[in-house]
Amino acid sequence: SEGLGATVDAGLKEGVSSPLDLEAAMKQIKQLRADKKPEQAMAVIDGLPETMRNLRSLRLVRVFIGREISNERYSKEMKDVLAQYPDDPSLALIAIDEAALRGDYPATLKAIDTLDHAVGGDPFQDAVRSSIYFKQDDFAAARSHAEAAVKGEPTLVRAQYSLLDAEAALGDNNAVLT
């Protein structure tokens, strides 16, 4: 509700005649996305007053629309929003995906750390870390994080597979078989 209130307040401050005008713009964006016209949806956002375009909620919408346009646009929009909100754990969740898509594994690990810290530690994040280290051919680190994930949540299937992958890559056939 805070985000919605900030959006409406910014719109009224910038001369949008009523919250209904903002609602119409948001409905138009939603429809254009449903019609698979992301460039046109982005143009609607670009037509809003600058104060509104810079709101966190609308910047996040830009990230999602950017992904629909291209990986490059997705990365640009993600970079822009992270510059404004670098340690936001809700953005870290999206940043993990975007950085991994680009193959920027240090940025992926940083985003995982941000999210993991915000939730107070999570075995699933260790399993994701393991996958990232595996992609970097750092099989020892992949194994270490997979082991931590399995220890923290023994029934987590992703952690079990990550551990098997790391053990196999390290040539530890005994561990794979047990």
Side-chain angles (χ1 to χ4, degrees), residues 63 67 70-80 82-83 91-92 94-111 132 135-136:
V63 170
R67 179 155 193 180
S70 69
N71 289 344
E72 294 76 19
R73 185 64 183 261
Y74 179 41
S75 292
K76 178 202 175 302
E77 297 298 338
M78 191 76 233
K79 181 180 175 184
D80 289 350
L82 285 174
L91 295 176
I94 303 162
I96 293 167
D97 172 65
E98 186 276 327
L101 183 67
R102 284 186 291 115
D104 184 346
Y105 301 128
T108 305
L109 291 168
K110 181 181 184 295
I132 298 304
K135 288 181 185 232
Q136 296 180 89

mmCIF file of all heavy atoms in Angstrom, residues 63 67 70-80 82-83 91-92 94-111 132 135-136:
data_model
loop_
_atom_site.group_PDB
_atom_site.id
_atom_site.type_symbol
_atom_site.label_atom_id
_atom_site.label_comp_id
_atom_site.label_asym_id
_atom_site.label_seq_id
_atom_site.Cartn_x
_atom_site.Cartn_y
_atom_site.Cartn_z
ATOM 1 N N VAL A 63 11.764 -3.335 -15.480
ATOM 2 C CA VAL A 63 12.635 -4.516 -15.531
ATOM 3 C C VAL A 63 11.892 -5.675 -16.195
ATOM 4 O O VAL A 63 12.430 -6.342 -17.084
ATOM 5 C CB VAL A 63 13.118 -4.912 -14.118
ATOM 6 C CG1 VAL A 63 13.819 -6.258 -14.132
ATOM 7 C CG2 VAL A 63 14.036 -3.840 -13.544
ATOM 8 N N ARG A 67 12.685 -7.440 -19.887
ATOM 9 C CA ARG A 67 12.936 -8.865 -20.159
ATOM 10 C C ARG A 67 12.123 -9.337 -21.359
ATOM 11 O O ARG A 67 12.566 -10.186 -22.129
ATOM 12 C CB ARG A 67 12.611 -9.711 -18.941
ATOM 13 C CG ARG A 67 12.863 -11.174 -19.249
ATOM 14 C CD ARG A 67 13.138 -11.981 -18.081
ATOM 15 N NE ARG A 67 13.657 -13.273 -18.537
ATOM 16 C CZ ARG A 67 14.009 -14.223 -17.757
ATOM 17 N NH1 ARG A 67 13.946 -14.049 -16.469
ATOM 18 N NH2 ARG A 67 14.442 -15.353 -18.227
ATOM 19 N N SER A 70 14.196 -7.804 -24.645
ATOM 20 C CA SER A 70 15.443 -8.503 -24.987
ATOM 21 C C SER A 70 16.264 -8.709 -23.727
ATOM 22 O O SER A 70 16.056 -8.015 -22.726
ATOM 23 C CB SER A 70 16.267 -7.698 -26.001
ATOM 24 O OG SER A 70 16.783 -6.520 -25.398
ATOM 25 N N ASN A 71 17.202 -9.624 -23.786
ATOM 26 C CA ASN A 71 18.109 -9.829 -22.654
ATOM 27 C C ASN A 71 18.931 -8.578 -22.378
ATOM 28 O O ASN A 71 19.203 -8.250 -21.221
ATOM 29 C CB ASN A 71 19.033 -11.021 -22.911
ATOM 30 C CG ASN A 71 18.311 -12.342 -22.854
ATOM 31 O OD1 ASN A 71 17.202 -12.443 -22.345
ATOM 32 N ND2 ASN A 71 18.934 -13.371 -23.398
ATOM 33 N N GLU A 72 19.318 -7.876 -23.423
ATOM 34 C CA GLU A 72 20.106 -6.655 -23.253
ATOM 35 C C GLU A 72 19.300 -5.576 -22.542
ATOM 36 O O GLU A 72 19.804 -4.900 -21.648
ATOM 37 C CB GLU A 72 20.612 -6.129 -24.610
ATOM 38 C CG GLU A 72 21.605 -7.034 -25.294
ATOM 39 C CD GLU A 72 20.992 -8.276 -25.967
ATOM 40 O OE1 GLU A 72 19.756 -8.290 -26.231
ATOM 41 O OE2 GLU A 72 21.744 -9.243 -26.176
ATOM 42 N N ARG A 73 18.042 -5.432 -22.929
ATOM 43 C CA ARG A 73 17.192 -4.417 -22.291
ATOM 44 C C ARG A 73 16.905 -4.808 -20.847
ATOM 45 O O ARG A 73 16.869 -3.960 -19.952
ATOM 46 C CB ARG A 73 15.889 -4.255 -23.086
ATOM 47 C CG ARG A 73 14.997 -3.136 -22.583
ATOM 48 C CD ARG A 73 15.677 -1.766 -22.752
ATOM 49 N NE ARG A 73 14.884 -0.706 -22.225
ATOM 50 C CZ ARG A 73 14.098 0.094 -22.950
ATOM 51 N NH1 ARG A 73 14.019 -0.067 -24.254
ATOM 52 N NH2 ARG A 73 13.409 1.034 -22.375
ATOM 53 N N TYR A 74 16.708 -6.096 -20.619
ATOM 54 C CA TYR A 74 16.507 -6.620 -19.270
ATOM 55 C C TYR A 74 17.699 -6.251 -18.395
ATOM 56 O O TYR A 74 17.535 -5.718 -17.293
ATOM 57 C CB TYR A 74 16.324 -8.131 -19.368
ATOM 58 C CG TYR A 74 16.113 -8.910 -18.098
ATOM 59 C CD1 TYR A 74 15.297 -8.456 -17.068
ATOM 60 C CD2 TYR A 74 16.690 -10.171 -17.950
ATOM 61 C CE1 TYR A 74 15.083 -9.222 -15.927
ATOM 62 C CE2 TYR A 74 16.480 -10.944 -16.826
ATOM 63 C CZ TYR A 74 15.682 -10.462 -15.811
ATOM 64 O OH TYR A 74 15.474 -11.227 -14.696
ATOM 65 N N SER A 75 18.892 -6.473 -18.896
ATOM 66 C CA SER A 75 20.107 -6.150 -18.135
ATOM 67 C C SER A 75 20.223 -4.658 -17.868
ATOM 68 O O SER A 75 20.588 -4.243 -16.768
ATOM 69 C CB SER A 75 21.351 -6.648 -18.881
ATOM 70 O OG SER A 75 21.369 -8.056 -18.894
ATOM 71 N N LYS A 76 19.910 -3.850 -18.870
ATOM 72 C CA LYS A 76 19.985 -2.394 -18.696
ATOM 73 C C LYS A 76 19.023 -1.922 -17.618
ATOM 74 O O LYS A 76 19.399 -1.151 -16.725
ATOM 75 C CB LYS A 76 19.672 -1.676 -20.008
ATOM 76 C CG LYS A 76 19.697 -0.151 -19.880
ATOM 77 C CD LYS A 76 18.890 0.509 -20.968
ATOM 78 C CE LYS A 76 18.795 2.000 -20.803
ATOM 79 N NZ LYS A 76 18.225 2.462 -19.541
ATOM 80 N N GLU A 77 17.785 -2.391 -17.687
ATOM 81 C CA GLU A 77 16.777 -1.965 -16.709
ATOM 82 C C GLU A 77 17.138 -2.476 -15.305
ATOM 83 O O GLU A 77 16.966 -1.764 -14.323
ATOM 84 C CB GLU A 77 15.383 -2.438 -17.116
ATOM 85 C CG GLU A 77 14.880 -1.860 -18.437
ATOM 86 C CD GLU A 77 14.724 -0.354 -18.452
ATOM 87 O OE1 GLU A 77 14.593 0.270 -17.369
ATOM 88 O OE2 GLU A 77 14.723 0.222 -19.563
ATOM 89 N N MET A 78 17.662 -3.698 -15.223
ATOM 90 C CA MET A 78 18.059 -4.251 -13.922
ATOM 91 C C MET A 78 19.214 -3.437 -13.348
ATOM 92 O O MET A 78 19.217 -3.101 -12.153
ATOM 93 C CB MET A 78 18.467 -5.722 -14.091
ATOM 94 C CG MET A 78 18.637 -6.455 -12.795
ATOM 95 S SD MET A 78 17.045 -6.861 -12.058
ATOM 96 C CE MET A 78 17.273 -6.171 -10.436
ATOM 97 N N LYS A 79 20.176 -3.100 -14.189
ATOM 98 C CA LYS A 79 21.316 -2.293 -13.746
ATOM 99 C C LYS A 79 20.843 -0.938 -13.223
ATOM 100 O O LYS A 79 21.306 -0.474 -12.169
ATOM 101 C CB LYS A 79 22.298 -2.099 -14.902
ATOM 102 C CG LYS A 79 23.518 -1.298 -14.544
ATOM 103 C CD LYS A 79 24.440 -1.143 -15.738
ATOM 104 C CE LYS A 79 25.602 -0.233 -15.389
ATOM 105 N NZ LYS A 79 26.468 0.012 -16.546
ATOM 106 N N ASP A 80 19.911 -0.333 -13.923
ATOM 107 C CA ASP A 80 19.397 0.977 -13.504
ATOM 108 C C ASP A 80 18.700 0.906 -12.145
ATOM 109 O O ASP A 80 18.920 1.751 -11.281
ATOM 110 C CB ASP A 80 18.421 1.535 -14.547
ATOM 111 C CG ASP A 80 19.097 1.985 -15.828
ATOM 112 O OD1 ASP A 80 20.351 2.044 -15.873
ATOM 113 O OD2 ASP A 80 18.363 2.246 -16.806
ATOM 114 N N LEU A 82 19.053 -1.438 -9.811
ATOM 115 C CA LEU A 82 20.006 -1.809 -8.758
ATOM 116 C C LEU A 82 20.905 -0.635 -8.359
ATOM 117 O O LEU A 82 21.329 -0.552 -7.211
ATOM 118 C CB LEU A 82 20.860 -3.003 -9.192
ATOM 119 C CG LEU A 82 20.161 -4.350 -9.168
ATOM 120 C CD1 LEU A 82 21.066 -5.428 -9.748
ATOM 121 C CD2 LEU A 82 19.697 -4.722 -7.770
ATOM 122 N N ALA A 83 21.170 0.259 -9.293
ATOM 123 C CA ALA A 83 21.955 1.448 -8.957
ATOM 124 C C ALA A 83 21.207 2.318 -7.957
ATOM 125 O O ALA A 83 21.810 2.929 -7.067
ATOM 126 C CB ALA A 83 22.280 2.245 -10.228
ATOM 127 N N LEU A 91 14.788 -7.098 -4.880
ATOM 128 C CA LEU A 91 15.419 -6.952 -6.191
ATOM 129 C C LEU A 91 16.508 -7.997 -6.386
ATOM 130 O O LEU A 91 16.781 -8.422 -7.510
ATOM 131 C CB LEU A 91 16.007 -5.551 -6.350
ATOM 132 C CG LEU A 91 14.996 -4.410 -6.373
ATOM 133 C CD1 LEU A 91 15.706 -3.072 -6.438
ATOM 134 C CD2 LEU A 91 14.019 -4.569 -7.519
ATOM 135 N N ALA A 92 17.132 -8.419 -5.292
ATOM 136 C CA ALA A 92 18.188 -9.434 -5.388
ATOM 137 C C ALA A 92 17.653 -10.712 -6.004
ATOM 138 O O ALA A 92 18.348 -11.381 -6.775
ATOM 139 C CB ALA A 92 18.797 -9.702 -4.016
ATOM 140 N N ILE A 94 15.450 -11.056 -8.318
ATOM 141 C CA ILE A 94 15.422 -10.864 -9.770
ATOM 142 C C ILE A 94 16.851 -10.743 -10.304
ATOM 143 O O ILE A 94 17.170 -11.253 -11.374
ATOM 144 C CB ILE A 94 14.610 -9.608 -10.139
ATOM 145 C CG1 ILE A 94 13.210 -9.708 -9.574
ATOM 146 C CG2 ILE A 94 14.555 -9.421 -11.653
ATOM 147 C CD1 ILE A 94 12.486 -8.387 -9.511
ATOM 148 N N ALA A 95 17.707 -10.085 -9.542
ATOM 149 C CA ALA A 95 19.092 -9.881 -9.972
ATOM 150 C C ALA A 95 19.834 -11.204 -10.121
ATOM 151 O O ALA A 95 20.719 -11.330 -10.977
ATOM 152 C CB ALA A 95 19.825 -8.965 -8.995
ATOM 153 N N ILE A 96 19.491 -12.197 -9.312
ATOM 154 C CA ILE A 96 20.111 -13.521 -9.448
ATOM 155 C C ILE A 96 19.850 -14.049 -10.853
ATOM 156 O O ILE A 96 20.773 -14.475 -11.560
ATOM 157 C CB ILE A 96 19.560 -14.506 -8.389
ATOM 158 C CG1 ILE A 96 19.997 -14.084 -6.985
ATOM 159 C CG2 ILE A 96 20.012 -15.937 -8.692
ATOM 160 C CD1 ILE A 96 19.257 -14.808 -5.863
ATOM 161 N N ASP A 97 18.619 -14.007 -11.266
ATOM 162 C CA ASP A 97 18.235 -14.495 -12.588
ATOM 163 C C ASP A 97 18.936 -13.708 -13.693
ATOM 164 O O ASP A 97 19.511 -14.288 -14.614
ATOM 165 C CB ASP A 97 16.718 -14.384 -12.740
ATOM 166 C CG ASP A 97 16.250 -14.694 -14.147
ATOM 167 O OD1 ASP A 97 16.405 -15.853 -14.582
ATOM 168 O OD2 ASP A 97 15.719 -13.781 -14.813
ATOM 169 N N GLU A 98 18.895 -12.396 -13.589
ATOM 170 C CA GLU A 98 19.461 -11.556 -14.646
ATOM 171 C C GLU A 98 20.967 -11.742 -14.761
ATOM 172 O O GLU A 98 21.509 -11.885 -15.853
ATOM 173 C CB GLU A 98 19.103 -10.084 -14.379
ATOM 174 C CG GLU A 98 19.503 -9.133 -15.483
ATOM 175 C CD GLU A 98 20.948 -8.674 -15.386
ATOM 176 O OE1 GLU A 98 21.458 -8.548 -14.262
ATOM 177 O OE2 GLU A 98 21.573 -8.443 -16.445
ATOM 178 N N ALA A 99 21.675 -11.764 -13.629
ATOM 179 C CA ALA A 99 23.133 -11.917 -13.664
ATOM 180 C C ALA A 99 23.530 -13.304 -14.177
ATOM 181 O O ALA A 99 24.476 -13.434 -14.959
ATOM 182 C CB ALA A 99 23.722 -11.667 -12.275
ATOM 183 N N ALA A 100 22.807 -14.330 -13.772
ATOM 184 C CA ALA A 100 23.097 -15.683 -14.253
ATOM 185 C C ALA A 100 22.856 -15.773 -15.760
ATOM 186 O O ALA A 100 23.629 -16.408 -16.484
ATOM 187 C CB ALA A 100 22.267 -16.708 -13.508
ATOM 188 N N LEU A 101 21.811 -15.119 -16.229
ATOM 189 C CA LEU A 101 21.513 -15.101 -17.655
ATOM 190 C C LEU A 101 22.670 -14.494 -18.449
ATOM 191 O O LEU A 101 23.016 -14.970 -19.527
ATOM 192 C CB LEU A 101 20.221 -14.315 -17.904
ATOM 193 C CG LEU A 101 19.709 -14.253 -19.323
ATOM 194 C CD1 LEU A 101 19.246 -15.636 -19.780
ATOM 195 C CD2 LEU A 101 18.543 -13.270 -19.418
ATOM 196 N N ARG A 102 23.289 -13.466 -17.884
ATOM 197 C CA ARG A 102 24.437 -12.822 -18.542
ATOM 198 C C ARG A 102 25.731 -13.608 -18.351
ATOM 199 O O ARG A 102 26.740 -13.296 -18.958
ATOM 200 C CB ARG A 102 24.675 -11.420 -17.971
ATOM 201 C CG ARG A 102 23.733 -10.373 -18.436
ATOM 202 C CD ARG A 102 24.125 -8.975 -17.947
ATOM 203 N NE ARG A 102 23.963 -8.820 -16.514
ATOM 204 C CZ ARG A 102 24.964 -8.621 -15.659
ATOM 205 N NH1 ARG A 102 26.202 -8.536 -16.070
ATOM 206 N NH2 ARG A 102 24.722 -8.487 -14.364
ATOM 207 N N GLY A 103 25.710 -14.580 -17.444
ATOM 208 C CA GLY A 103 26.940 -15.318 -17.152
ATOM 209 C C GLY A 103 27.868 -14.554 -16.233
ATOM 210 O O GLY A 103 29.061 -14.860 -16.157
ATOM 211 N N ASP A 104 27.336 -13.546 -15.545
ATOM 212 C CA ASP A 104 28.137 -12.765 -14.592
ATOM 213 C C ASP A 104 28.013 -13.435 -13.228
ATOM 214 O O ASP A 104 27.181 -13.064 -12.401
ATOM 215 C CB ASP A 104 27.643 -11.320 -14.546
ATOM 216 C CG ASP A 104 28.496 -10.424 -13.653
ATOM 217 O OD1 ASP A 104 29.307 -10.944 -12.864
ATOM 218 O OD2 ASP A 104 28.322 -9.193 -13.740
ATOM 219 N N TYR A 105 28.858 -14.436 -13.003
ATOM 220 C CA TYR A 105 28.734 -15.235 -11.793
ATOM 221 C C TYR A 105 29.109 -14.498 -10.518
ATOM 222 O O TYR A 105 28.449 -14.718 -9.493
ATOM 223 C CB TYR A 105 29.483 -16.548 -11.967
ATOM 224 C CG TYR A 105 28.933 -17.333 -13.145
ATOM 225 C CD1 TYR A 105 29.754 -17.820 -14.149
ATOM 226 C CD2 TYR A 105 27.563 -17.554 -13.266
ATOM 227 C CE1 TYR A 105 29.232 -18.514 -15.224
ATOM 228 C CE2 TYR A 105 27.037 -18.244 -14.342
ATOM 229 C CZ TYR A 105 27.877 -18.723 -15.319
ATOM 230 O OH TYR A 105 27.351 -19.406 -16.388
ATOM 231 N N PRO A 106 30.090 -13.608 -10.519
ATOM 232 C CA PRO A 106 30.314 -12.829 -9.298
ATOM 233 C C PRO A 106 29.089 -11.995 -8.901
ATOM 234 O O PRO A 106 28.730 -11.919 -7.725
ATOM 235 C CB PRO A 106 31.518 -11.955 -9.642
ATOM 236 C CG PRO A 106 32.268 -12.752 -10.670
ATOM 237 C CD PRO A 106 31.179 -13.407 -11.496
ATOM 238 N N ALA A 107 28.432 -11.378 -9.884
ATOM 239 C CA ALA A 107 27.219 -10.603 -9.590
ATOM 240 C C ALA A 107 26.094 -11.526 -9.128
ATOM 241 O O ALA A 107 25.306 -11.164 -8.239
ATOM 242 C CB ALA A 107 26.785 -9.801 -10.815
ATOM 243 N N THR A 108 26.021 -12.713 -9.701
ATOM 244 C CA THR A 108 25.011 -13.683 -9.279
ATOM 245 C C THR A 108 25.227 -14.052 -7.819
ATOM 246 O O THR A 108 24.283 -14.056 -7.019
ATOM 247 C CB THR A 108 25.073 -14.950 -10.153
ATOM 248 O OG1 THR A 108 24.947 -14.587 -11.528
ATOM 249 C CG2 THR A 108 23.963 -15.923 -9.780
ATOM 250 N N LEU A 109 26.469 -14.346 -7.456
ATOM 251 C CA LEU A 109 26.773 -14.723 -6.072
ATOM 252 C C LEU A 109 26.512 -13.570 -5.107
ATOM 253 O O LEU A 109 26.011 -13.792 -4.005
ATOM 254 C CB LEU A 109 28.217 -15.210 -5.962
ATOM 255 C CG LEU A 109 28.488 -16.554 -6.654
ATOM 256 C CD1 LEU A 109 29.987 -16.808 -6.750
ATOM 257 C CD2 LEU A 109 27.783 -17.686 -5.930
ATOM 258 N N LYS A 110 26.799 -12.342 -5.535
ATOM 259 C CA LYS A 110 26.526 -11.171 -4.690
ATOM 260 C C LYS A 110 25.021 -11.038 -4.439
ATOM 261 O O LYS A 110 24.591 -10.783 -3.307
ATOM 262 C CB LYS A 110 27.066 -9.900 -5.339
ATOM 263 C CG LYS A 110 26.844 -8.641 -4.500
ATOM 264 C CD LYS A 110 27.385 -7.413 -5.220
ATOM 265 C CE LYS A 110 27.278 -6.157 -4.398
ATOM 266 N NZ LYS A 110 25.939 -5.724 -4.112
ATOM 267 N N ALA A 111 24.229 -11.234 -5.467
ATOM 268 C CA ALA A 111 22.776 -11.141 -5.310
ATOM 269 C C ALA A 111 22.253 -12.270 -4.415
ATOM 270 O O ALA A 111 21.360 -12.048 -3.587
ATOM 271 C CB ALA A 111 22.088 -11.171 -6.676
ATOM 272 N N ILE A 132 26.077 -22.269 -9.223
ATOM 273 C CA ILE A 132 26.883 -21.198 -9.825
ATOM 274 C C ILE A 132 28.362 -21.568 -9.785
ATOM 275 O O ILE A 132 29.087 -21.391 -10.769
ATOM 276 C CB ILE A 132 26.613 -19.843 -9.118
ATOM 277 C CG1 ILE A 132 25.137 -19.442 -9.287
ATOM 278 C CG2 ILE A 132 27.544 -18.764 -9.633
ATOM 279 C CD1 ILE A 132 24.656 -19.351 -10.727
ATOM 280 N N LYS A 135 29.082 -24.044 -12.470
ATOM 281 C CA LYS A 135 29.200 -23.423 -13.799
ATOM 282 C C LYS A 135 30.574 -22.786 -14.001
ATOM 283 O O LYS A 135 31.022 -22.627 -15.126
ATOM 284 C CB LYS A 135 28.103 -22.377 -14.005
ATOM 285 C CG LYS A 135 26.746 -22.985 -14.208
ATOM 286 C CD LYS A 135 25.702 -21.910 -14.422
ATOM 287 C CE LYS A 135 24.351 -22.532 -14.502
ATOM 288 N NZ LYS A 135 23.608 -22.151 -15.657
ATOM 289 N N GLN A 136 31.209 -22.407 -12.897
ATOM 290 C CA GLN A 136 32.539 -21.799 -12.971
ATOM 291 C C GLN A 136 33.647 -22.853 -12.879
ATOM 292 O O GLN A 136 34.810 -22.503 -12.795
ATOM 293 C CB GLN A 136 32.722 -20.794 -11.827
ATOM 294 C CG GLN A 136 31.776 -19.618 -11.896
ATOM 295 C CD GLN A 136 32.013 -18.677 -10.744
ATOM 296 O OE1 GLN A 136 32.835 -17.774 -10.841
ATOM 297 N NE2 GLN A 136 31.308 -18.891 -9.629
#
